[in-house]
Amino acid sequence: MDINDFREKLDADEGLISKPRILVSLSVIFIALNISGASLQEANTLIFKIKFTRHKNLIYLFFISISFMLLRYYAYAKSYHDLLFSFWSKRMISDYKIFQYTPKEEAISGLLSKRIDVWPGDEPGIQDLKYEVARIFKRNLVYQCSGHDEIHGDYYYDSNIELNKYSETWQRKDFLILLKFEARYQLEAILKYRESLDILFPYVLGFVALFSFFIRDI
């Protein structure tokens, strides 16, 4: 899937679109209540009006509702997070300063060449590297390998190169340089590609709303 297909899928997903609308609406009202000190007197529905007599308890209802909608929205948006990650990580891996493969010489250059200790002639899958975030400050490179079994024939599997393991050629400073590149490409994805902001903005507003709950009396 390319970026244009991703945008069409995102814009056509009614289930996903409805969730941030509710989350954003609740968050905006909750922020206004906490910051301005206003109280919600009545709520209009299609059939009747509801008048609230216990305004303080309403704040807790908003807090729980926003927390639930954040979890609900994440469940719907998880597949899009994975796609967004694949987009910016591929752009990063394609940067010649980070990784470059020269077919004629079968040689690897760039920052990651300090960590990759396999020869592309033996492992052709290394030409199609994938960047993986295992957990906080733990990063891997993943590429496809092949083998042969006398009973089952050819088989394929993923091989990992752990970037948190250091050597004489790959040191902690090299890993920190990689993290700087990662931060730059993530920021570029947010500022340059509108789909990233479309997905992330409801989270930001939701967490700001929850944070406003704790500072409303300060």
Side-chain angles (χ1 to χ4, degrees):
M1 180 182 293
D2 61 20
I3 193 68
N4 293 320
D5 293 333
F6 176 85
R7 287 171 179 169
E8 291 180 3
K9 181 181 179 181
L10 181 64
D11 293 338
D13 193 335
E14 293 295 334
L16 178 70
I17 293 174
S18 62
K19 302 303 178 294
R21 285 176 180 171
I22 299 173
L23 177 58
V24 168
S25 298
L26 288 174
S27 299
V28 169
I29 295 173
F30 194 52
I31 292 172
L33 291 175
N34 286 324
I35 293 179
S36 67
S39 61
L40 190 61
Q41 298 289 339
E42 293 183 352
N44 293 322
T45 68
L46 296 177
I47 302 175
F48 49 80
K49 290 184 178 180
I50 301 175
K51 186 173 182 180
F52 301 98
T53 57
R54 298 181 179 179
H55 305 141
K56 292 184 178 180
N57 293 339
L58 183 64
I59 295 295
Y60 297 103
L61 178 61
F62 266 97
F63 186 91
I64 294 172
S65 299
I66 293 172
S67 300
F68 172 78
M69 286 307 303
L70 280 169
L71 295 174
R72 186 72 170 161
Y73 176 54
Y74 176 77
Y76 271 84
K78 179 62 171 63
S79 60
Y80 293 99
H81 287 299
D82 295 338
L83 287 171
L84 286 174
F85 174 84
S86 68
F87 289 142
W88 72 254
S89 62
K90 285 179 180 178
R91 288 193 291 267
M92 185 181 76
I93 291 294
S94 299
D95 189 332
Y96 73 94
K97 296 179 182 178
I98 298 177
F99 177 80
Q100 184 175 36
Y101 171 71
T102 306
K104 185 177 180 180
E105 301 176 358
E106 292 189 327
I108 296 174
S109 59
L111 177 65
L112 293 177
S113 65
K114 297 181 178 182
R115 179 64 183 90
I116 299 173
D117 54 2
V118 299
W119 182 51
D122 294 331
E123 299 287 358
I126 202 72
Q127 303 173 34
D128 188 25
L129 272 181
K130 293 182 180 179
Y131 190 66
E132 182 182 86
V133 176
R135 56 178 183 267
I136 297 177
F137 299 121
K138 184 173 178 59
R139 305 292 186 267
N140 295 333
L141 298 176
V142 181
Y143 65 96
Q144 191 177 74
C145 297
S146 62
H148 181 79
D149 184 83
E150 294 182 357
I151 298 177
H152 300 95
D154 294 334
Y155 63 92
Y156 299 90
Y157 62 96
D158 287 338
S159 181
N160 290 332
I161 299 177
E162 297 184 16
L163 297 176
N164 294 86
K165 289 186 176 180
Y166 306 113
S167 63
E168 293 183 0
T169 56
W170 177 259
Q171 300 178 1
R172 186 180 297 274
K173 65 178 181 179
D174 299 310
F175 181 66
L176 293 177
I177 292 174
L178 179 65
L179 292 182
K180 289 181 181 179
F181 274 106
E182 178 185 315
R184 194 188 83 182
Y185 276 90
Q186 287 193 61
L187 181 61
E188 179 189 66
I190 294 173
L191 298 179
K192 189 175 180 180
Y193 299 91
R194 58 97 173 171
E195 56 277 355
S196 297
L197 195 57
D198 290 343
I199 293 292
L200 296 177
F201 178 72
Y203 290 111
V204 174
L205 194 60
F207 283 114
V208 169
L210 295 181
F211 179 72
S212 70
F213 171 80
F214 297 101
I215 64 171
R216 70 186 192 280
D217 296 328
I218 296 179

